[in-house]
């Protein structure tokens, strides 16, 4: 099926500012943790690779004067940075939300781990998905404070540490919960639960493909939290399980979206096939692939078409506030450029032309 552009999903701000916002928030956290809430540029200037910066860190900081305030430091006239009052206020709100909704964040992390084989994931994998799950940077650094007794830090081999979950209770996926609301019984793990379809305008399918999708909807649904080791990997049931895992995974994320390449590192741990990326292309009524920002972002359509189907992430509102603040930087920078042009123009007009002419004649 040919990819078709959909301006509705391509215009969701918090999705397409997510990569840039991730960098801004990472730097914001470094500054907020610094002594007196400020740091010299030398503290972060050589950490561009860590933050995924396409440009120098100092230049990046100066791109967002609405978030980062530059001033001359106490020694050697080095540039220092602190948060603007507006950014500091959102940072405090972010900390309040993290504390207030800590149990929600724990549940999302718990579900993420429960989808994996043996219910354990390496810490480096979890840290790689932290931004999407909405977990604060320090969430995993202090497990005793942020995690409950259902989590265990374990050895996963090769000198790596992992996080395991001990849970005997059955976990229902978003699809199963919504089926229960409609009166269906998700008690049978092989119930034929259908995926909500949201066709984009202009998408045309051959009748053969449409017929296959209708039959695909009638195949049994295997929950992402159930054992799938006995499934034939080439069957439609196995493919429906893959789509179900991706659907549940994106439903846990803040923006209900993620860079497709970032999801590929989960194949080994979530029991996904080698060509899992094809599932996004084969099911355009469930997922949308956005090609904005020179990257491929997978978006869960249901989250943006049925506000009651998937629970809103508590961190979303905070991120939207950061994005709104970031956009104010363009106005500030434009005003600065205008003021600089006015000053230069004024300096030229203030020249004493008679004096200049007299000097030239001498």
């Amino acid at each position: 099926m040919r990819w078709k552009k959909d301006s509705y999903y391509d215009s969701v701000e918090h999705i397409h500012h997510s990569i840039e916002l991730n960098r801004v928030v990472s730097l914001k956290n470094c500054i907020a943790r610094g002594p007196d809430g400020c740091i010299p540029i030398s503290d972060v200037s050589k950490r561009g690779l860590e933050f995924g910066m396409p440009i120098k860190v100092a230049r990046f900081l100066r791109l967002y004067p609405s978030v980062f305030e530059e001033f001359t430091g106490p020694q050697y006239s080095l540039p220092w940075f602190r948060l603007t009052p507006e950014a500091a206020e959102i940072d405090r709100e972010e900390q309040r939300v993290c504390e207030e909704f800590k149990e929600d964040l724990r549940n999302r992390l718990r579900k993420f781990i429960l989808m994996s084989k043996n219910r354990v994931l390496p810490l480096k994998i979890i840290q790689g998905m932290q931004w999407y799950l909405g977990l604060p940077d320090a969430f995993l650094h202090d497990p005793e404070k942020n995690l409950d007794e259902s989590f265990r830090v374990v050895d996963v081999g090769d000198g790596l540490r992992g996080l395991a979950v001990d849970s005997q209770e059955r976990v229902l996926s978003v699809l199963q919960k919504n089926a229960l609301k409609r009166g269906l019984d998700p008690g049978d793990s092989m119930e034929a639960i259908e995926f909500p379809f949201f066709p984009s305008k202009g998408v045309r399918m051959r009748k053969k493909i449409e017929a296959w999708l209708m039959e695909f909807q009638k195949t049994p649904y295997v929950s992402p939290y159930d054992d799938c080791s006995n499934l034939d990997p080439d069957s439609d049931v196995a493919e429906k399980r893959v789509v179900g895992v991706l659907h549940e995974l994106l439903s846990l994320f803040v923006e209900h979206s993620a860079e497709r390449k970032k999801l590929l590192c989960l194949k080994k741990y979530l029991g996904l096939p080698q060509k899992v990326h094809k599932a996004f292309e084969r099911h355009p009524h469930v997922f949308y692939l956005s090609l904005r920002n020179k990257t491929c972002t997978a978006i869960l359509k249901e989250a943006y078409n049925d506000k009651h189907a998937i629970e809103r992430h508590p961190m979303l509102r905070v991120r939207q506030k950061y994005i709104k603040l970031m956009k104010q930087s363009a106005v500030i920078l434009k005003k600065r450029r205008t003021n600089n042009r006015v000053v230069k123009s004024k300096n030229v007009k203030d020249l004493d032309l008679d004096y200049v002419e007299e000097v030239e004649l001498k």
Side-chain angles (χ1 to χ4, degrees):
M1 287 170 283
R2 293 180 62 185
W3 175 83
K4 179 73 176 178
K5 180 181 175 66
D6 192 320
S7 58
Y8 173 67
Y9 302 103
D10 282 333
S11 63
V12 181
E13 278 193 334
H14 56 259
I15 291 179
H16 303 294
H17 284 85
S18 183
I19 296 174
E20 197 79 347
L21 176 60
N22 190 358
R23 297 165 182 157
V24 169
V25 170
S26 296
L27 284 167
K28 181 269 299 180
N29 291 337
C30 289
I31 294 172
R33 289 195 301 265
D36 302 320
C38 55
I39 59 170
I41 185 60
S42 57
D43 278 13
V44 291
S45 60
K46 295 183 179 180
R47 296 171 62 186
L49 190 62
E50 176 188 335
F51 299 128
M53 296 289 177
I55 58 177
K56 290 185 177 180
V57 177
R59 184 182 172 193
F60 184 87
L61 287 164
R62 289 171 181 140
L63 285 176
Y64 295 100
S66 61
V67 181
F68 307 111
E69 184 179 326
E70 183 177 355
F71 64 99
T72 303
Q75 291 182 335
Y76 311 115
S77 299
L78 290 174
W80 281 54
F81 289 90
R82 60 188 165 217
L83 299 182
T84 62
E86 296 81 6
E89 177 57 35
I90 302 176
D91 176 61
R92 287 190 289 272
E93 181 180 348
E94 181 182 358
Q95 293 178 43
R96 288 194 299 269
V97 169
C98 288
E99 195 60 37
E100 183 180 350
F101 292 93
K102 185 177 288 186
E103 185 57 34
D104 181 276
L105 297 177
R106 271 198 293 258
N107 283 335
R108 291 174 188 272
L109 175 59
R110 186 181 292 108
K111 287 181 177 180
F112 179 47
I113 297 174
L114 286 173
M115 279 193 279
S116 65
K117 295 178 180 178
N118 305 319
R119 300 185 168 187
V120 60
L121 281 174
L123 282 171
K124 68 173 186 178
I125 293 295
I126 299 174
Q127 288 165 346
M129 307 305 291
Q130 239 178 292
W131 173 254
Y132 296 123
L133 288 166
L135 304 179
D137 286 351
F139 199 81
L140 298 175
H141 296 161
D142 192 351
E144 291 185 2
K145 177 183 176 183
N146 297 313
L147 303 179
D148 58 30
E149 62 278 359
S150 65
F151 294 90
R152 288 184 299 111
V153 178
V154 297
D155 185 3
V156 295
D158 297 327
L160 297 175
R161 305 290 282 171
L163 201 58
V165 171
D166 296 320
S167 177
Q168 299 302 320
E169 63 178 284
R170 188 177 177 221
V171 180
L172 296 181
S173 68
V174 167
L175 282 174
Q176 288 174 314
K177 288 180 180 178
N178 290 338
L180 192 61
K181 291 176 185 176
R182 296 194 301 270
L184 298 177
D185 180 15
D188 181 3
S189 60
M190 297 297 281
E191 178 75 31
I193 299 175
E194 297 186 355
F195 291 103
F197 277 0
F198 300 94
S200 293
K201 292 181 180 178
V203 172
R204 297 288 183 268
M205 292 185 180
R206 284 179 289 178
K207 290 183 179 180
K208 183 179 178 180
I209 297 176
E210 285 185 345
W212 172 78
L213 279 176
M214 293 305 104
E215 287 301 313
F216 175 82
Q217 288 281 55
K218 297 174 185 177
T219 57
Y221 170 79
V222 179
S223 170
Y225 305 106
D226 291 345
D227 180 36
C228 64
S229 56
N230 60 340
L231 295 181
D232 177 2
D234 296 324
S235 66
D236 281 352
V237 176
E239 176 159 353
K240 192 166 186 177
R241 189 256 172 189
V242 170
V243 177
V245 169
L246 296 173
H247 182 285
E248 183 71 4
L249 192 61
L250 293 177
S251 73
L252 296 176
F253 292 169
V254 180
E255 290 100 7
H256 306 303
S257 66
E259 287 183 79
R260 187 174 66 171
K261 64 181 180 182
K262 293 289 182 69
L263 298 175
L264 301 184
C265 69
L266 301 175
K267 290 185 294 186
K268 173 183 174 182
Y269 306 99
L270 302 188
L272 300 173
Q274 189 64 28
K275 295 184 178 181
V276 61
H277 59 280
K278 291 289 184 180
F280 294 114
E281 300 165 18
R282 286 167 61 85
H283 300 275
H285 294 348
V286 180
F287 309 107
Y288 176 70
L289 292 176
S290 173
L291 304 181
R292 280 191 60 180
N293 303 324
K294 298 180 180 180
T295 188
C296 184
T297 303
I299 301 172
L300 181 60
K301 285 187 167 185
E302 185 176 12
Y304 294 92
N305 288 274
D306 186 351
K307 62 181 181 180
H308 301 295
I310 298 175
E311 187 179 355
R312 181 186 177 99
H313 196 291
M315 288 301 298
L316 180 59
R317 183 173 176 79
V318 174
R319 291 192 181 177
Q320 288 173 331
K321 287 188 175 183
Y322 275 126
I323 292 169
K324 185 177 180 181
L325 182 62
M326 287 165 58
K327 291 172 71 176
Q328 293 177 17
S329 294
V331 178
I332 296 172
L333 293 174
K334 183 178 180 180
K335 188 175 181 180
R336 285 180 184 175
R337 288 194 295 268
T338 303
N339 289 340
N340 287 339
R341 283 197 295 268
V342 169
V343 169
K344 288 179 181 178
S345 176
K346 187 174 184 299
N347 288 340
V348 170
K349 290 179 181 178
D350 287 347
L351 286 174
D352 188 341
L353 297 181
D354 291 337
Y355 175 76
V356 173
E357 189 175 318
E358 185 179 331
V359 170
E360 289 179 348
L361 288 172
K362 288 181 181 180

